[in-house]
Amino acid sequence: MNAKSQAEAGEVRLDVSNVYKIFSDNPKPALDMLNAGATKDEIFKKLGVTVGVKDASFQVRAGEIFVIMGLSGSGKSTMIRLLNRLIEPSAGKIVFDGRDLVQMSRKELIDVRRKDMSMVFQSFALMPHLTALDNAAFGLEIAGVPKPKRHEAAMEALEQVGLGQYHGRYPREMSGGMQQRVGLARALANNPTIMLMDEAFSALDPLIRTEMQDELLRLQRESKRTIIFISHDLDEAMRIGDRIAIMEGGSIVQVGTPFEILRNPADDYVRSFFRNVDVSRVLRAGDVARFHEENTVMRVPGVLQPALEQLNEGNHEYGYVRDHEHKYQGTVSRSSLERAITEEGQPRFIHAFLPDVDPVHAEAPLHDVMRTVASTECPVPVVDDDNKYVGVISPSTLLKTLDREG
């Protein structure tokens, strides 16, 4: 992980404020009508111009996959092209790392595109006469990077996507999935601060598409890049998105995590999108885990009495032990602590840990942990990649999550 691709958790990387796109040489009349309350259809009927994006505002945090989705014509592909000014905004601000892209000169914008932004399109857009290595290095070549240096970066990117051994192949010698991996490697090669992916996997058959989603999630676990991903596919959005923005008629209707949107859809349009979703297959354990400070026990070697008193005071039967780095150590109960304290010799937490209480990973699909939650004597602990304690899932929490009408 590097400083360029990773910032402090929660830091805003991209701030989009009141952005409009009117497809007209003179957008002011349409903007005036919109501000007066006119609809897209009314504007088209009167002025003959199309409103592509209407008053869009959202923030993208460092290190997240932010999915923008909607039906055909909702404005999602227009939106992503506004973010790097492949399409010029009619109004609004697009602030990237403190700089308003809308106010940048052409030279400044080109510099940002070369150094900080990469884009992956639906079409693979590979040069047929170039090898995988040279295709992956193409953006760096345009930027004037010397051949040895760009080949080194491109080779590293190809290795990241599992194509290092195929660096000498031409596009015609590769499958669709391999070609799209080359496209992804090209976007990674210049180590961008932010990646824009426009329906990047929609041209692939379902099996390869799933493999590419897995690949993206694997890369994200390793490097935590900031990614804006356009999709019309709900399953894809729910599977890869940390947060999702739903678009309708050029407007952002709702922004939230998959869990937030499932539980509290903003309107009937969003509700209809998610009506038939099997939440157990798209939500992850981390989405529904609940953290309670009062039953989270800090491990102090040889000191068990404070842990027991903490559980007694809060009337909690179970406690979840973590160390000073917040890494999960084990699960205890009031009775197991009492037994360990009364044993001869130095009392130790290891003697109080309950057997057969294994943590589940925060990224595990909810469907895969349901049996574990149902069969474990206590709420099941959830941990992240670093074994840090996230929270617990109880049977009641699980049932409330699955009961979407509740």
Side-chain angles (χ1 to χ4, degrees):
M1 192 181 302
N2 55 67
K4 188 177 181 183
S5 63
Q6 175 59 39
E8 291 297 323
E11 178 183 335
V12 174
R13 179 116 278 172
L14 188 74
D15 191 351
V16 178
S17 303
N18 309 113
V19 167
Y20 291 80
K21 177 57 188 177
I22 312 298
F23 288 97
S24 170
D25 292 336
N26 180 19
K28 189 176 185 305
L31 288 170
D32 290 341
M33 287 185 66
L34 285 171
N35 290 330
T39 65
K40 284 181 59 175
D41 291 341
E42 289 170 342
I43 291 170
F44 184 78
K45 186 176 181 179
K46 182 173 182 179
L47 302 178
V49 300
T50 299
V51 178
V53 171
K54 175 186 173 184
D55 197 21
S57 297
F58 58 88
Q59 294 180 331
V60 181
R61 301 165 186 159
E64 75 172 335
I65 299 180
F66 186 89
V67 177
I68 302 175
M69 69 166 299
L71 300 176
S72 178
S74 62
K76 57 188 185 297
S77 289
T78 300
M79 188 72 249
I80 200 169
R81 284 163 171 77
L82 291 170
L83 299 182
N84 61 1
R85 281 180 57 192
L86 288 178
I87 297 175
E88 291 291 339
S90 302
K93 292 183 178 181
I94 302 172
V95 178
F96 171 61
D97 279 351
R99 299 171 293 169
D100 188 355
L101 296 177
V102 178
Q103 300 301 320
M104 284 185 179
S105 68
R106 194 70 185 168
K107 183 177 181 300
E108 290 172 323
L109 181 62
I110 290 172
D111 191 54
V112 167
R113 287 175 181 167
R114 286 178 175 176
K115 294 179 180 178
D116 294 299
M117 285 186 170
S118 288
M119 193 158 186
V120 183
F121 296 94
Q122 177 179 347
S123 60
F124 310 140
L126 301 183
M127 304 294 180
H129 62 288
L130 297 181
T131 64
L133 181 64
D134 284 322
N135 264 294
F138 186 72
L140 296 174
E141 181 180 359
I142 296 298
V145 177
K147 188 173 182 178
K149 188 173 181 180
R150 69 176 184 255
H151 273 187
E152 180 183 355
M155 191 65 190
E156 182 179 341
L158 287 172
E159 293 283 1
Q160 283 184 279
V161 300
L163 289 182
Q165 60 183 316
Y166 302 106
H167 66 276
R169 289 195 180 184
Y170 290 89
R172 64 179 180 274
E173 299 172 325
M174 294 183 285
S175 67
M178 293 173 72
Q179 290 181 48
Q180 191 59 304
R181 286 172 189 261
V182 176
L184 184 56
R186 181 175 54 201
L188 293 169
N190 73 332
N191 190 25
T193 303
I194 192 166
M195 286 177 60
L196 308 177
M197 304 183 72
D198 185 19
E199 299 270 14
F201 305 149
S202 62
L204 304 171
D205 67 54
L207 181 60
I208 297 176
R209 187 174 187 173
T210 299
E211 290 177 355
M212 287 301 297
Q213 292 166 5
D214 290 340
E215 186 72 14
L216 182 65
L217 291 171
R218 181 187 66 79
L219 290 170
Q220 189 66 353
R221 284 194 297 271
E222 293 175 357
S223 61
K224 280 291 182 184
R225 295 181 182 276
T226 306
I227 299 171
I228 300 177
F229 193 104
I230 301 297
S231 179
H232 67 271
D233 185 277
L234 179 60
D235 289 337
E236 180 172 70
M238 299 280 283
R239 187 163 189 258
I240 68 173
D242 294 302
R243 290 189 301 143
I244 301 172
I246 309 290
M247 292 195 72
E248 180 191 19
S251 298
I252 301 289
V253 180
Q254 186 171 6
V255 177
T257 66
F259 180 65
E260 290 168 346
I261 297 175
L262 277 167
R263 292 297 295 173
N264 297 294
D267 57 20
D268 289 339
Y269 174 77
V270 177
R271 190 174 291 107
S272 66
F273 248 114
F274 290 80
R275 182 168 290 125
N276 297 317
V277 170
D278 181 352
V279 297
S280 73
R281 295 189 180 276
V282 294
L283 292 182
R284 295 161 288 192
D287 294 325
V288 299
R290 296 291 177 264
F291 180 89
H292 302 287
E293 187 69 46
E294 60 270 19
N295 69 341
T296 303
V297 176
M298 187 63 68
R299 184 173 188 173
V300 180
V303 183
L304 275 62
Q305 189 64 39
L308 178 59
E309 292 173 359
Q310 178 181 333
L311 295 184
N312 283 332
E313 288 174 5
N315 197 29
H316 292 285
E317 179 60 34
Y318 300 100
Y320 299 88
V321 184
R322 57 181 183 174
D323 64 15
H324 66 283
E325 295 180 337
H326 305 292
K327 292 187 177 182
Y328 174 75
Q329 301 290 298
T331 300
V332 297
S333 68
R334 284 192 279 181
S335 57
S336 73
L337 284 170
E338 288 170 353
R339 286 196 303 270
I341 290 171
T342 57
E343 287 181 359
E344 291 185 9
Q346 180 73 15
R348 299 174 61 192
F349 265 104
I350 195 170
H351 296 145
F353 287 152
L354 299 176
D356 304 321
V357 180
D358 297 319
V360 298
H361 194 281
E363 295 298 315
L366 203 57
H367 181 271
D368 292 349
V369 305
M370 290 171 63
R371 179 172 295 181
T372 301
V373 172
S375 62
T376 304
E377 67 171 281
C378 60
V380 173
V382 179
V383 297
D384 66 10
D385 282 337
D386 298 321
N387 199 44
K388 290 185 177 180
Y389 177 70
V390 174
V392 297
I393 303 176
S394 67
S396 62
T397 298
L398 185 60
L399 288 172
K400 287 178 182 177
T401 300
L402 297 177
D403 179 18
R404 292 166 58 193
E405 303 302 322

